[in-house]
Amino acid sequence: MAGEETNGGTEPVKQDAVALASRLQHLSLSAQAVHADDFLNSHSAVAPPMHVSTTFRYSRNPDELGYMKSVSANNVHDSHIYSRMTAPNSQRFEAILTSILNGPAVSYSSGLSAFHAMLVFLNPKRIAIGAGYHGCQGVIKVVSKLSGLKQVDLDCADEELGPGDLIHVETPLNPTGEARDLEFYAEKARRTGAVLSVDATFAPPPLLDPFAFGVDIIMHSGTKYFGGHSDMLCGVLAIAPRHAEDWVPKLKSERLFLGSVMGSVEGWLGIRSLRTLDLRVRKQSADTDKLVQWLAAEMAREGSVVHGTVAEIKHASLQVSSEGKELAWLKKQMPNGFGPVFAIYMKDENEAKRLPSKLQLFHHATSLGGVESLIEWRSMTDATVDKRLLRLSIGVEGWEDLRDDLIQGFEALARERSSAT
């Protein structure tokens, strides 16, 4: 039976599900993404089946019945009672994430529901947080009405934080794609006794392993790169192994009552998507680096259409020290690429609003992480940003084609500008 071994006799011994999910971590990321959930196979089908049932039959043997206890005769690890607790699709999804994130993973219905669940569980008195995704700021406002949670600046003085407080770092940053030094904030968390969480949505595996830099909790909006096809919502919390035994059961218990579980169809879509995560993200990130470097070179070249249109480009690959030197911590933190999202600031606010309609390959839409490239005049969904800012999420089309699409878009704006004068 899957997930069992014997103790030398005939009685099977149930292995720990987290250990089983993590058993392939010596293999490549792609191998883990394809096989980490094999121990949950209860059928001969190669592709995981889609289960949509909300409830599951108990054993017909009265001697096997007990409070919150139901064991499948087919696979002890693929045992379920009610889908608000666990379900086959989301369980497999979590197993893969546990392997590739290097810590037990808990799934939620969206990224913000994962952030909310983290705040409910930790119940900090203060949260240190900087600029970034405005949705998290909204969740903090809601929670503060109930708990009195106080928000302080991410780079506040140590004296403003204490044991049990939360430092929440977003890296790379939404919407600019710039990175933050996790070891710097891990040291601050150690000094103050605070918990360190990171929203690593913009740098999924293989780009960043936050646990290697002292993080306590990793958060992802799985809607983005874990989903990867713009067709599912989900959120994820992964817990550092040193906290897992205590924190994970409590998070799952609280999720049961928050009701913020991901749907069964989303769980199935998530499994499908994680299979190709490594392939997608490596290409998207590499193509982004090429596109950003081209844009930066063209912006510096007088007479180019980019020079006449773009005022500034933001991306982790362009970050340097105040002396203009490479940042040693950045290459150490993100050795496999700097992420597929960046921002451009146009010289003219009206042109920022008009450029998306000139493009053919970029969809003008919010969100990111899908196989299709997106561009968003960010003021559509975030009232706090510079109105000249455009956020670009690079898909898998190929950077040369995307470059050419941007060129014709910039040229169209230049012709309009010329005719207006």
Side-chain angles (χ1 to χ4, degrees):
M1 190 179 296
E4 290 188 353
E5 56 186 27
T6 64
N7 58 5
T10 58
E11 289 298 315
V13 178
K14 182 177 178 181
Q15 293 178 269
D16 177 74
V18 172
L20 285 167
S22 307
R23 74 200 183 284
L24 302 181
Q25 288 179 332
H26 62 288
L27 300 180
S28 67
L29 178 63
S30 286
Q32 294 177 62
V34 174
H35 292 290
D37 59 323
D38 281 355
F39 73 99
L40 292 168
N41 286 337
S42 302
H43 194 277
S44 60
V46 172
M50 182 189 294
H51 296 275
V52 295
S53 181
T54 59
T55 192
F56 304 85
R57 284 188 294 271
Y58 297 138
S59 171
R60 293 181 64 84
N61 182 353
D63 294 334
E64 294 180 352
L65 301 179
Y67 177 71
M68 292 296 184
K69 177 186 175 184
S70 182
V71 178
S72 169
N74 295 323
N75 186 337
V76 293
H77 294 293
D78 194 22
S79 301
H80 308 279
I81 293 175
Y82 187 59
S83 62
R84 189 154 44 85
M85 300 167 61
T86 63
N89 302 134
S90 56
Q91 184 181 31
R92 293 184 76 126
F93 182 63
E94 290 175 346
I96 301 169
L97 290 169
T98 292
S99 184
I100 67 175
L101 293 175
N102 298 311
V106 183
S107 63
Y108 295 88
S109 56
S110 70
L112 287 183
S113 67
F115 183 68
H116 175 241
M118 179 175 68
L119 292 185
V120 170
F121 170 68
L122 294 173
N123 194 24
K125 293 181 180 178
R126 289 166 289 270
I127 178 171
I129 186 171
Y133 180 45
H134 62 282
C136 290
Q137 307 283 346
V139 173
I140 292 169
K141 290 179 181 179
V142 172
V143 171
S144 67
K145 292 196 304 181
L146 303 174
S147 68
L149 173 64
K150 180 182 178 183
Q151 182 174 334
V152 297
D153 188 74
L154 178 63
D155 294 311
C156 66
D158 286 3
E159 292 72 25
E160 294 187 60
L161 295 171
D165 289 338
L166 179 62
I167 299 173
H168 184 70
V169 180
E170 188 176 310
T171 187
L173 191 65
N174 190 3
T176 63
E178 296 170 292
R180 285 171 167 154
D181 184 353
L182 287 177
E183 286 188 329
F184 172 83
Y185 291 103
E187 181 57 36
K188 182 170 185 172
R190 283 191 289 270
R191 291 195 307 268
T192 61
V195 174
L196 177 61
S197 63
V198 59
D199 182 342
T201 297
F202 280 35
L207 302 182
L208 175 62
D209 177 11
F211 290 145
F213 302 96
V215 169
D216 296 300
I217 303 179
I218 302 170
M219 170 192 151
H220 278 271
S221 173
T223 304
K224 279 62 175 186
Y225 293 99
F226 292 164
H229 295 76
S230 304
D231 58 6
M232 59 172 281
L233 289 175
C234 87
V236 175
L237 296 178
I239 308 304
R242 63 184 178 276
H243 301 304
E245 186 176 354
D246 181 32
W247 290 9
V248 172
K250 293 175 182 176
L251 282 165
K252 289 184 175 180
S253 176
E254 291 184 358
R255 181 183 63 179
L256 174 65
F257 299 110
L258 289 173
S260 50
V261 294
M262 68 185 301
S264 291
V265 173
E266 287 75 15
W268 184 86
L269 289 170
I271 298 165
R272 168 219 60 183
S273 299
L274 288 178
R275 303 299 198 212
T276 60
L277 176 71
D278 192 22
L279 304 176
R280 289 185 285 107
V281 172
R282 284 185 189 273
K283 174 176 173 53
Q284 288 170 287
S285 186
D287 282 357
T288 299
D289 284 352
K290 293 172 185 174
L291 196 56
V292 166
Q293 295 306 317
W294 170 77
L295 277 167
E298 288 296 296
M299 192 178 74
R301 185 170 67 87
E302 285 197 39
S304 75
V305 68
V306 179
H307 177 83
T309 309
V310 177
E312 190 176 9
I313 308 164
K314 295 281 191 179
H315 186 239
S317 66
L318 299 177
Q319 283 181 254
V320 293
S321 69
S322 56
E323 294 82 25
K325 297 180 179 179
E326 286 188 3
L327 299 167
W329 65 263
L330 181 54
K331 186 63 177 176
K332 177 184 176 183
Q333 187 169 294
M334 301 184 73
N336 297 320
F338 299 104
V341 175
F342 66 98
I344 60 176
Y345 291 80
M346 302 289 277
K347 290 185 174 180
D348 181 80
E349 176 185 322
N350 185 55
E351 290 192 352
K353 192 174 182 180
R354 295 175 65 82
L355 177 63
S357 65
K358 309 296 184 187
L359 303 177
Q360 304 301 317
L361 297 183
F362 287 87
H363 296 289
H364 189 200
T366 195
S367 198
L368 54 108
V371 294
E372 62 286 305
S373 292
L374 302 178
I375 187 169
E376 182 185 23
W377 181 50
R378 191 59 181 156
S379 292
M380 289 290 294
T381 54
D382 186 348
T384 67
V385 300
D386 189 320
K387 292 188 182 300
R388 298 173 300 133
L389 189 153
L390 290 161
R391 186 182 70 184
L392 290 85
S393 169
I394 303 307
V396 301
E397 296 94 339
W399 85 272
E400 298 96 336
D401 295 326
L402 298 174
R403 174 200 62 196
D404 294 346
D405 195 26
L406 287 171
I407 288 174
Q408 66 83 23
F410 291 142
E411 289 176 342
L413 290 177
R415 287 193 297 271
E416 290 181 354
R417 194 185 314 129
S418 177
S419 63
T421 58

